């Protein structure tokens, strides 16, 4: 049965009105939904200086957009299930959303950013919501309607869609899709005002009825039929970034593409060029080596020009900051028969409306994933907080990383190598920006194909896939003015010559940039090259106590700077940390004295030495953990003793050392 969404939408509409003076609770609920991985509205505002700040107010229409901005029915049902549970709603979670127009995921708020928002905007929206639930299109206050349209980011389509969601029997959405459908009946929206909307609806009701839910669904179906019939068609255009980078073209710019190549020969799929019509949609894809969808365009002119020089014209209408990668597209079952996915040799391809919808949904999800979170500043003081390292040592470490662009933090277990690595990255950035930091952990089976490039089975054959570092490097290349950091945990556990391959040379700071570009092992030919940009910094960690590992390749060693990390049990900051978790002076003294004695034994042992000392991290508690004798015993028996059993062949020697650690 259709329209099962109406009961819960109506119940939410009535319930949400009670939160006008408790908007913080609505924001908290949306935040909880977001923390569970649900694609809701962004909760990050922007002030007049461009700084991101937490959103502090919300209206019913914007709240409704949280479950109206994705085409995934299951995702919308999941959000509504959470709201139903939080508010103890009686209406069931719907089986369908027939006739409900989707909110634009890039423009879901009903008001502008703080810098463009009048202090009364949100208050007006609450008044409109109350009026919309209590009245209908015939009795709605025209003055209030027009006052709402003056709000930044508001329009007649967004306003009437919001009113429809609150009161589906009282209003008809007047967005582009419905307007196009009603236009077929000879009825036009004469003005984007309350008076224009009232006149538009009056004419509609006169020739049909006031079943607005059915009308909205009919408009959606008509749009689908038009797109799959003789109306809008969908195309995919391959652009060679070495010849023409569609990514760099500004949104709104007019672009051209010829139907013949540089030699005057017809391009593959030439027949499609003559079928392109104004209004058709064009997916902009950047070919090798980037291999990603970067733009959405609209055809503005069909094939034209003198014989042999014909071309199509299109307008770039949208750019994607987080492009959709080729590898991701291949794993989508709904695209298994998509023409450019099956065989990407050519320039222009046909895409069905259903395939376009799938790609559009994937792109929308990526837009949702780019949260406008405020990236906090990060200073040396932030790095030193909770870090048992002297300021001078931090300065030395940062200097080596900045100069060499490749640094290895080496030391025995438990000295905080991985913990320090991210802090170094954030300190050099000056920001706590996780989006520019990637991390992998090497292991003996890790290879070049995982790290750089390789072939993987695909549909009965083999497909070249980019590795995690190659993808990271491509992102850094596109952002040359900012530093990027790649962390390799346990770098000496991998076969480094095998993993890095020809990249060994490019690691060096004076071998960066396009001037030093080289073909990779699996390049299509000598013209397909790769380089490391100067803004990538490597940070590796190396456990000096892992005796299963060979020495780090000397060719790699000379390309990295090294910093030795040692146990910092005598650091004043270590004492402060322990006291902050309730440790007594006696317990702190016991930890420092007995761990110090144990490390003296290890350092003097012929087959061990300084590289096998036991670090302070074993005694760094988790957040909220209280420290007492039972906790100390658990650390010794559960973590230190197994390590000693690896160090010493004699069981009696291990038992003696553990007894000394646990002695009263």
């Amino acid at each position: 049965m259709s329209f099962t969404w109406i009961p819960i939408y109506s119940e939410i509409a009535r319930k949400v009105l009670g939160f006008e003076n408790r908007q913080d609770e609505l924001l908290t609920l949306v935040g909880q939904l977001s923390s569970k991985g649900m694609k809701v509205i962004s909760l990050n505002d922007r002030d007049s200086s461009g700084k991101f700040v937490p959103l502090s107010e919300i209206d019913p229409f914007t709240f409704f957009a949280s479950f109206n901005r994705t085409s995934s029915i299951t995702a919308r049902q999941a959000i509504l299930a959470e709201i139903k549970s939080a508010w103890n709603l009686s209406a069931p979670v719907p089986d369908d959303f027939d006739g409900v127009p989707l909110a634009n995921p890039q423009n879901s708020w009903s008001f502008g950013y703080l810098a463009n928002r009048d202090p009364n905007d949100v208050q007006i929206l609450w008044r409109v919501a109350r009026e919309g639930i209590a009245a209908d299109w015939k009795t709605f206050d025209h003055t209030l309607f027009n006052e709402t349209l003056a709000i930044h980011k508001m329009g007649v389509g967004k306003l009437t869609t919001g009113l429809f969601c609150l009161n589906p029997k009282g209003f008809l959405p007047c967005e582009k899709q419905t307007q196009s459908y009603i236009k077929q009946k000879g009825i036009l929206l004469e003005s984007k005002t309350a008076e224009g909307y009232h006149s538009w609806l009056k004419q509609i009701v006169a020739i049909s009825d006031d079943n607005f839910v059915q009308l909205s669904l009919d408009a959606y179906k008509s749009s689908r039929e038009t797109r799959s019939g003789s109306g809008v068609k969908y195309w995919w255009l391959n652009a060679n970034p070495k010849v023409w980078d569609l990514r760099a073209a500004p949104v709104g710019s007019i672009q051209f593409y010829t139907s013949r190549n540089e030699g005057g020969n017809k391009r593959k799929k030439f027949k499609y060029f003559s079928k392109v019509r104004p209004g058709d949609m064009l997916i902009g894809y950047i070919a090798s080596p980037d291999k990603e969808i970067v733009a959405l365009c609209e055809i503005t002119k069909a094939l034209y020009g003198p014989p042999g020089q014909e071309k199509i014209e299109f307008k770039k209408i949208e750019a994607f900051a987080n492009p959709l990668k080729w590898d991701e597209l291949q794993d989508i079952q709904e695209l298994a028969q998509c023409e450019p996915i099956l065989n990407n040799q050519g320039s222009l391809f046909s895409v069905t409306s259903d395939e376009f919808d799938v790609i559009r949904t994937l792109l929308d999800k990526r837009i949702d994933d780019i949260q406008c979170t405020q990236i906090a500043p990060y200073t040396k003081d932030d790095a030193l907080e909770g870090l048992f390292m002297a300021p001078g040592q931090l300065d030395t470490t940062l200097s080596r990383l900045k100069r060499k662009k490749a640094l290895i933090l080496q030391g025995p277990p438990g000295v905080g190598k991985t913990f320090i690595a991210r802090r170094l990255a954030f300190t050099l950035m000056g920001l706590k920006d996780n989006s520019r930091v990637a991390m992998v952990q090497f292991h003996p089976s890790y290879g070049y194909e995982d790290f750089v490039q390789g072939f993987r089975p695909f549909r009965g054959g083999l497909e070249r896939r980019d590795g995690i570092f190659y993808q990271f490097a491509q992102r850094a290349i596109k952002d040359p003015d900012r530093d990027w950091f790649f962390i390799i945990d346990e770098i000496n556990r991998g076969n480094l010559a095998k993993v890095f391959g020809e990249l060994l040379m490019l690691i060096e700071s004076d071998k960066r940039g396009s001037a030093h570009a080289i073909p990779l092992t699996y390049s299509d030919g000598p013209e397909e090259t790769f380089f490391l940009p100067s803004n990538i910094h490597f940070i590796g960690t190396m456990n000096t106590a892992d005796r299963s590992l060979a020495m780090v390749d000397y060719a790699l060693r000379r390309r990295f700077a090294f910093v030795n990390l040692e146990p910092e049990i005598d650091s004043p900051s270590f004492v402060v940390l322990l006291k902050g978790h309730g440790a007594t002076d006696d317990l702190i003294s016991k930890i420092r004295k007995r761990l110090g004695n144990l490390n003296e034994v290890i350092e003097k042992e012929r087959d061990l030495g300084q590289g096998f000392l036991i670090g302070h991290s074993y005694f760094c508690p988790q957040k909220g953990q209280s420290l007492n004798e039972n906790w100390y015993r658990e650390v010794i028996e559960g973590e230190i003793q197994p390590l000693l059993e690896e160090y010493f062949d004699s069981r009696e020697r291990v038992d003696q050392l553990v007894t000394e650690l646990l002695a009263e």
Side-chain angles (χ1 to χ4, degrees):
M1 183 181 70
S2 292
F3 313 132
T4 59
W5 57 270
I6 293 178
I8 196 167
Y9 272 53
S10 299
E11 189 173 1
I12 291 174
R14 295 190 298 271
K15 183 81 172 181
V16 77
L17 294 182
F19 288 87
E20 182 172 5
N21 296 319
R22 296 183 288 142
Q23 295 175 33
D24 58 320
E25 295 179 34
L26 280 183
L27 293 167
T28 298
L29 175 57
V30 175
Q32 291 169 347
L33 296 173
S34 178
S35 68
K36 294 180 179 180
M38 298 179 178
K39 305 303 181 183
V40 294
I41 60 168
S42 170
L43 294 177
N44 298 281
D45 209 343
R46 183 183 291 172
D47 63 19
S48 57
S49 68
K51 178 183 177 182
F52 286 110
V53 296
L55 182 63
S56 61
E57 54 185 346
I58 190 172
D59 67 277
F61 302 110
T62 302
F63 179 74
F64 262 71
S66 288
F67 47 88
N68 278 336
R69 60 199 305 268
T70 172
S71 59
S72 169
I73 292 178
T74 55
R76 296 166 80 177
Q77 288 172 327
I79 295 173
L80 287 172
E82 291 289 336
I83 296 174
K84 173 182 168 69
S85 175
W87 287 356
N88 296 314
L89 303 179
S90 59
V93 174
D95 297 322
D96 73 278
F97 296 89
D98 290 348
V100 183
L102 287 175
N104 183 344
Q106 294 178 283
N107 184 20
S108 299
W109 292 3
S110 293
F111 48 82
Y113 279 133
L114 188 61
N116 301 310
R117 190 160 72 239
D118 187 272
N120 296 322
D121 283 353
V122 174
Q123 181 182 351
I124 291 171
L125 291 167
W126 280 95
R127 286 171 51 205
V128 172
R130 291 187 181 279
E131 176 85 3
I133 293 172
D136 60 21
W137 69 277
K138 292 175 288 189
T139 59
F140 197 92
D141 184 341
H142 285 202
T143 301
L144 179 58
F145 191 103
N146 290 329
E147 187 178 2
T148 308
L149 290 178
I151 294 175
H152 185 68
K153 293 284 187 180
M154 182 54 77
V156 68
K158 181 182 286 188
L159 174 56
T160 55
T161 297
L163 290 168
F164 172 76
C165 290
L166 296 178
N167 184 357
K169 295 183 179 180
F171 299 89
L172 177 67
C174 189
E175 31 63 73
K176 185 180 297 185
Q177 183 172 268
T178 306
Q179 284 189 51
S180 297
Y181 174 65
I182 298 300
K183 184 179 180 180
Q184 298 172 23
K185 301 178 182 294
I187 300 173
L188 300 176
L189 180 68
E190 297 173 355
S191 66
K192 295 180 179 181
T193 62
E195 293 74 20
Y197 177 66
H198 184 274
S199 174
W200 182 71
L201 265 182
K202 188 175 181 179
Q203 294 176 70
I204 293 171
V205 172
I207 64 170
S208 56
D209 55 33
D210 60 357
N211 188 343
F212 297 143
V213 179
Q214 186 62 53
L215 275 172
S216 182
L217 177 58
D218 291 344
Y220 169 74
K221 290 180 177 179
S222 175
S223 174
R224 298 270 300 183
E225 291 169 0
T226 299
R227 288 189 298 174
S228 61
S230 59
V232 175
K233 288 185 171 61
Y234 298 91
W235 309 97
W236 169 302
L237 179 68
N238 280 352
N240 184 343
K242 297 176 182 177
V243 178
W244 169 59
D245 192 352
L246 179 58
R247 183 193 301 106
V251 172
S253 63
I254 299 297
Q255 304 293 315
F256 307 92
Y257 202 84
T258 61
S259 61
R260 297 173 184 267
N261 61 24
E262 293 80 0
N265 300 313
K266 292 180 179 180
R267 297 188 188 275
K268 290 183 179 180
K269 309 287 185 182
F270 180 81
K271 61 180 180 179
Y272 288 147
F273 283 89
S274 63
K275 295 182 179 181
V276 168
R277 294 290 180 269
D280 288 356
M281 302 305 294
L282 184 71
I283 295 169
Y285 175 80
I286 298 293
S288 184
D290 302 60
K291 303 174 72 172
E292 57 193 17
I293 293 175
V294 300
L296 186 64
C297 307
E298 182 178 354
I299 301 294
T300 51
K301 279 187 182 181
L303 192 65
Y304 73 100
Q309 300 179 32
E310 302 95 334
K311 57 188 175 182
I312 59 174
E313 178 187 288
F314 54 90
K315 180 180 181 180
K316 183 175 177 180
I317 61 175
E318 193 170 352
F320 303 115
N322 191 6
L324 187 56
K325 305 292 288 186
W326 172 255
D327 291 352
E328 299 171 68
L329 293 167
Q330 295 182 6
D331 295 330
I332 306 301
Q333 184 61 38
E334 294 91 335
L335 300 177
Q337 299 303 313
C338 184
E339 190 174 88
I341 305 298
L342 283 173
N343 185 349
N344 198 248
Q345 297 301 310
S347 300
L348 188 64
F349 303 85
S350 176
V351 176
T352 69
S353 61
D354 287 339
E355 290 165 350
F356 177 84
D357 285 344
V358 170
I359 293 172
R360 176 77 254 192
T361 299
L362 292 170
L363 288 165
D364 287 345
K365 287 181 179 179
R366 299 176 80 82
I367 293 168
D368 289 343
D369 290 340
I370 302 176
Q371 298 295 322
C372 299
T373 52
Q374 178 184 355
I375 299 175
Y378 200 87
T379 65
K380 289 181 184 178
D381 289 339
D382 293 319
L384 289 167
E385 185 177 351
L387 188 65
F388 314 137
M389 177 183 280
Q393 185 181 7
L394 176 61
D395 289 338
T396 299
T397 304
L398 291 170
S399 176
R400 290 179 187 176
L401 175 57
K402 192 172 183 179
R403 173 181 58 83
K404 196 75 171 178
K405 299 186 186 296
L407 176 77
I408 288 180
L409 302 170
Q410 64 178 2
V415 293
K417 298 180 288 293
T418 306
F419 181 73
I420 293 171
R422 282 189 179 273
R423 295 191 173 212
L424 295 177
F426 295 150
T427 305
L428 282 189
M429 288 183 199
L431 297 168
K432 192 173 184 180
D433 186 356
N434 281 295
S435 69
R436 289 187 277 143
V437 180
M439 182 175 178
V440 297
Q441 186 177 68
F442 278 3
H443 49 79
S445 62
Y446 202 81
Y448 181 91
E449 290 76 12
D450 305 296
F451 193 62
V452 185
Q453 244 177 20
F455 283 90
R456 293 285 186 268
F458 179 71
R459 294 179 182 170
L462 293 175
E463 176 78 16
R464 193 182 78 178
R465 298 289 182 98
D466 296 330
I468 185 171
F469 177 72
Y470 184 96
Q471 296 178 39
F472 179 83
Q474 293 302 316
R475 293 169 59 202
I477 288 171
K478 297 167 190 172
D479 187 19
D481 297 327
R482 299 194 300 171
D483 290 328
W484 290 64
F485 296 84
F486 197 86
I487 300 172
I488 305 172
D489 195 33
E490 305 285 3
I491 191 171
N492 54 329
R493 288 187 62 82
N495 183 330
L496 301 180
K498 172 186 171 185
V499 174
F500 279 90
E502 60 274 352
L503 295 191
L504 278 177
M505 179 185 75
L506 302 183
I507 291 174
E508 297 182 53
S509 59
D510 61 350
K511 299 294 191 301
R512 303 294 184 90
S514 58
H516 299 280
I518 58 174
L520 298 178
T521 299
Y522 297 108
S523 291
D524 288 337
E527 70 283 351
E528 184 185 348
T529 59
F530 174 82
F531 68 90
L532 279 185
S534 60
N535 59 337
I536 285 184
H537 300 70
F538 292 93
I539 304 175
T541 70
M542 189 167 72
N543 184 355
T544 54
D546 196 332
R547 290 188 286 194
S548 67
L549 306 176
M551 292 293 290
V552 173
D553 189 291
Y554 283 108
L556 188 68
R557 270 190 175 272
R558 71 179 183 83
R559 290 173 167 87
F560 280 81
F562 284 76
V563 168
N564 293 312
L565 300 178
E566 300 176 352
E568 297 288 350
I569 57 174
D570 293 326
S571 168
S573 298
F574 182 58
V575 175
V576 171
L577 175 69
L578 297 179
K579 283 190 174 182
H581 285 263
T584 63
D585 290 340
D586 288 343
L587 180 58
I588 293 172
S589 177
K590 178 189 289 188
I591 292 171
R592 299 175 76 182
K593 182 176 180 180
R594 295 186 182 178
L595 184 58
N597 291 340
L598 175 61
N599 278 336
E600 286 183 10
V601 171
I602 292 172
E603 188 170 5
K604 293 176 182 177
E605 191 73 16
R606 186 183 64 179
D607 294 331
L608 298 176
Q610 193 171 19
F612 292 78
L613 302 181
I614 295 175
H616 51 269
S617 295
Y618 287 98
F619 296 92
C620 291
Q622 299 295 320
K623 185 177 181 179
Q625 188 174 29
S626 297
L627 308 189
N628 51 37
E629 291 292 338
N630 289 334
W631 164 81
Y632 173 76
R633 174 176 288 275
E634 177 60 30
V635 172
I636 298 301
E637 294 179 345
E639 300 180 53
I640 304 301
Q641 182 174 335
L643 186 61
L644 294 176
E645 290 169 353
E646 292 288 330
Y647 284 1
F648 297 94
D649 294 330
S650 169
R651 179 69 190 187
E652 291 76 14
R653 184 77 182 279
V654 172
D655 289 342
Q656 177 190 351
L657 292 172
V658 171
T659 298
E660 292 173 359
L661 289 169
L662 295 176
E664 296 297 334

